[in-house]
């Protein structure tokens, strides 16, 4: 059971967690990284398959290659925006792969647990959903540790596979940069940049069937 | 910033959260449900697209239909296990849809935010990954509230779409049952049932490239 104070702390981290793209290069103690990974490893997973791996990237050469892959994808994506939206998109800082002392590639192995994983037999993508739950645990743990985290999803998966020598059947779900930051945002950075607004929760809730309030 | 006590509470909920399939029918206060949904709504989402909706199911008739869909899928899945594994599978309690006072269908709308959602343009499934982060927030919030939650993934999506009148382009990601329970498990139920073991975290961590310890 949880006390009121404990409950408040849990909501505090849920509400204050932000996606951050600017980091200091200050190193992170190794045991803190392990605490964050252990939080990830205690996420739920379909059929208890624990499909995740964590590739810890601290090599400057590897970081440089990942930043190159993200940068070329960013330029490709900019082409799909037009005029003002393109200028605005290009002005956003979308990754901090070079600055962050560590980036973690979180992967999903769809073969983990054998051919008939309980639950995954019905909905195969529950393996990547489990991996996302692990990433959310990492996010809350990094925030609790006074660290900032950013989930980079600008890349071609095969570029990341090539750079990190990941086998073709393994899904590189996310590049997660972690570091200290001088400027932990109070609101989502895309809200502060007037890119998107937070929706009203009320409008997202239905009762007993789709569309019924 | 978080105090040591706050940080401990956050790890406590991460480590103690379990997937539960047995519920009491005791009703849940409406404001507690709203707190849990608000926690979900504060999950990260790619391009801040917030692709989720929440269909709250409390109607007995609708619960009965969902339990029927899950039960027939369970029987279909059992056929893929053989001999002892089949007997063991059929002995597991895999859902509590009839007992739980509320089941929430969490959906993902891939069209939310328009045609070129920032980040989702590169990796389209980041929309369902965002929805999974929202579900993990719900899980931690229910646990903090002294409630139990179970993520049911035994169903054909079109059965759930038919029952809840969900449009064809909307993805019914999960059926989430929530309720009080008399028996909150200390370990994952599939570990207690000797179905799967927790893997060693150490073996899941690589350095700078796949396979390198």
């Amino acid at each position: 059971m949880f006390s009121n104070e404990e409950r408040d702390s849990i909501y505090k981290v849920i509400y204050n967690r932000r996606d951050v793209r600017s980091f200091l290069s200050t190193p992170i103690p190794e045991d803190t990284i392990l605490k964050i990974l252990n939080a990830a490893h205690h996420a739920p997973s379909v059929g208890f398959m624990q499909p995740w791996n964590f590739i810890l990237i601290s090599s400057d050469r590897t970081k440089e290659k990942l930043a190159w892959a993200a940068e070329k994808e960013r330029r490709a994506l900019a082409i799909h925006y037009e005029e003002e939206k393109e200028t605005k998109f290009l002005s956003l800082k979308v990754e901090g792969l070079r600055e962050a002392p560590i980036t973690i590639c979180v992967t999903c192995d769809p073969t983990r647990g054998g051919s008939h994983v309980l639950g995954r037999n019905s909905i195969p993508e529950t393996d990547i959903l489990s991996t996302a739950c692990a990433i959310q645990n990492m996010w809350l743990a990094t925030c609790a540790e006074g660290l900032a985290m950013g989930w980079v999803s600008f890349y071609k998966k095969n570029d990341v596979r090539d750079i990190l020598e990941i086998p073709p059947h393994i899904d590189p779900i996310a590049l997660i940069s972690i570091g200290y930051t001088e400027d932990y945002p109070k609101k989502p950075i895309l809200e502060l940049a007037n890119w998107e607004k937070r929706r009203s929760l009320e409008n997202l809730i239905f009762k007993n069937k789709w569309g019924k309030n």
Side-chain angles (χ1 to χ4, degrees), chain A:
Chain A
M1 291 298 289
F2 291 81
S3 67
N4 287 342
E5 291 71 26
E6 289 177 321
R7 194 152 47 235
D8 288 349
S9 313
I10 294 158
Y11 284 112
K12 178 179 168 183
V13 76
I14 285 174
Y15 290 132
N16 287 292
R17 175 217 54 80
R18 294 273 103 73
D19 194 341
V20 178
R21 309 289 160 140
S22 296
F23 304 96
L24 301 169
S25 61
T26 320
I28 304 167
E30 200 172 329
D31 67 324
T32 306
I33 297 289
L34 281 175
K35 283 175 77 182
I36 293 165
L37 294 178
N38 205 22
H41 190 43
H42 281 77
S45 63
V46 66
F48 202 29
M49 78 183 283
Q50 308 157 72
W52 38 71
N53 283 90
F54 308 96
I55 310 177
L56 314 188
I57 300 137
S58 54
S59 143
D60 282 338
R61 204 159 151 245
T62 311
K63 283 188 207 170
E64 193 57 49
K65 288 182 192 166
L66 291 173
W68 161 82
E71 174 53 27
K72 93 188 152 100
E73 181 68 1
R74 191 177 78 105
R75 280 185 285 129
L77 290 172
I79 292 170
H80 293 284
Y81 295 113
E82 284 169 63
E83 299 173 5
E84 280 174 51
K85 196 88 175 169
E86 183 181 356
T87 316
K88 195 167 194 174
F89 173 75
L90 286 169
S91 76
L92 292 170
K93 178 155 170 47
V94 293
E95 52 85 12
L97 290 162
R98 283 187 188 84
E99 313 150 33
I102 196 163
T103 286
I104 301 175
C105 179
V106 183
T107 63
C108 175
D109 179 353
T111 68
R112 187 81 44 88
S115 305
H116 299 291
V117 169
L118 193 153
R120 188 175 178 263
N121 253 4
S122 297
I123 305 183
E125 67 270 26
T126 44
D127 58 358
I128 60 169
L129 300 179
S130 303
T131 309
C133 288
I135 294 172
Q136 180 62 3
N137 272 5
M138 287 174 73
W139 226 325
L140 297 173
T142 48
C143 185
E145 296 287 350
L147 286 159
M149 168 174 148
W151 176 337
V152 177
S153 55
F154 287 88
Y155 55 85
K156 290 282 176 259
K157 290 183 180 180
N158 277 341
D159 280 339
V160 169
R161 285 197 187 93
D162 288 347
I163 296 166
L164 303 177
E165 300 181 27
I166 296 172
H169 70 288
I170 302 289
D171 192 344
I173 298 282
L175 291 173
I176 302 291
S177 293
I178 301 178
Y180 296 95
T181 190
E182 279 188 316
D183 181 29
Y184 202 87
K186 291 226 183 307
K187 290 186 168 194
I189 49 178
L190 293 179
E191 190 176 352
L192 294 171
N194 287 316
W195 184 271
E196 268 294 350
K197 294 194 176 97
R198 189 178 296 279
R199 286 165 193 271
S200 149
L201 173 58
E202 203 184 340
N203 296 335
L204 302 172
I205 300 175
F206 300 133
K207 302 249 169 89
N208 290 306
K209 63 178 190 183
W210 181 269
K212 188 165 170 258
N213 292 114

